[in-house]
Amino acid sequence: MITTLLWDIDGTLLNFSAAEKAAIRSLFQEYGLGECPEEMLQRYSRINKAYWERLEKGEITKPEVLIGRFRDFFETEGLNDAIASEFNDKYQLRLGDTIVYCDDSLKIVESLRGKVKQYAVSNGTIAAQSKKLRLSGLGELMDGIFLSEQLGIEKPNVEFFNKVFKTIGPVDKNQVMIVGDSLTSDICGGNNAGIVTCWYNPEGAAAVKGYRVDHEISDLHEIFDLL
């Protein structure tokens, strides 16, 4: 019986891709950088993903991710990479301007309130996630919010989860389930923490060996069956 849900935010409760595209395109206009077509956004997304995976492995720091990804992206596109730091600062706030729910996530979280404990667990920045959670209404529905910048450690490190459990009190790990779209962050983190894992895989991506996926769903409404 699951009594506690740990929700990932980006790509799970909220459509991160939509927010990312809108934020970058609006900043391209603001900085006079020209058009930002889909293929350019896809190149940025690949660079960004590679940086976050290196962070999850402990190879680089969060500041190196946030600025380095844009520096590499601008260099790849032949743009001025000197604006990378300033661009990132504005990007963090702009991310919260576009709220797109995954599978009616707001209604799902709201309907589960009082039935199970629900916590947000994210590697996103404080600036971006605080705004998203506030404007989406998800924040006020959570029993607690845990951001890696505040904890000083990233998912999938077991210490991230140890700090969560220390705050929320003693838990039976067999009754705690993390729900997330990332195998390398959410599922690996759940494995490290010894809790139940639920991989949100709406695109039907192929599973990767080395991760224990207890449950796999393509729609968040399937959570009800698991509870």
Side-chain angles (χ1 to χ4, degrees), residues 1 6 39 55 64 85 105 200 203 210:
M1 179 180 177
L6 304 183
E39 57 268 24
L55 175 69
E64 289 174 320
S85 180
S105 59
Y200 176 55
E203 303 300 324

Side-chain angles (χ1 to χ4, degrees), residues 135-153:
L135 295 183
S136 69
L138 286 165
E140 63 185 23
L141 296 176
M142 295 291 171
D143 292 289
I145 298 169
F146 296 94
L147 305 179
S148 61
E149 278 191 0
Q150 293 173 323
L151 299 185
I153 196 83

